[in-house]
Amino acid sequence: MALGYIGVLTIRLEMPWVSNLKEKRALVRPVVERLKVRFPLTVARLDGLDAHDWEVIGVATLSNDYGWVEETLKMAADYIASEGPYRVTEESVEITVIGDDYDEDEE
């Protein structure tokens, strides 16, 4: 029986019309901050920090309920896609089982 699940969502955002880092940060940073407030998630800007036209955002959550992890990451992905004037060009979800060989009798 599993102890829990760690879910990770990575999303690549592209903004080919953006011409500088300041403009890109103004589009991406508010979405990252609102995600942290709206959902029980850890959110980070992972890649493309020095590129002006793309960025990868990572989102992670942890729970003992697989369905909850899956649904929360889906809601986060939908929220990211709907919040900004950018294009989501890649999306990946990974859910890892924690302690799947856990035996309650060992405690």
Side-chain angles (χ1 to χ4, degrees):
M1 173 177 243
L3 280 177
Y5 306 90
I6 298 173
V8 177
L9 165 71
T10 53
I11 293 188
R12 181 181 170 107
L13 307 175
E14 293 192 2
M15 304 144 269
W17 60 90
V18 173
S19 60
N20 62 61
L21 291 174
K22 185 176 180 180
E23 186 180 356
K24 180 186 79 168
R25 279 193 305 270
L27 295 175
V28 176
R29 185 176 284 153
V31 173
V32 168
E33 294 305 317
R34 285 193 301 265
L35 271 171
K36 291 176 184 177
V37 171
R38 188 176 182 116
F39 299 101
L41 302 166
T42 298
V43 185
R45 297 169 61 210
L46 298 177
D47 198 8
L49 301 177
D50 293 330
H52 69 277
D53 58 348
W54 67 276
E55 186 154 329
V56 175
I57 294 176
V59 176
T61 193
L62 169 73
S63 176
N64 66 341
D65 182 340
Y66 183 93
W68 184 89
V69 170
E70 188 175 45
E71 182 63 23
T72 301
L73 294 179
K74 172 145 180 33
M75 288 189 305
D78 292 346
Y79 183 80
I80 292 168
S82 69
E83 280 300 299
Y86 41 68
R87 288 186 305 224
V88 174
T89 58
E90 293 177 37
E91 182 178 318
S92 170
V93 173
E94 295 178 34
I95 300 177
T96 304
V97 177
I98 304 169
D100 61 0
D101 60 344
Y102 178 75
D103 184 2
E104 292 181 23
D105 294 334
E106 291 179 6
E107 287 186 358

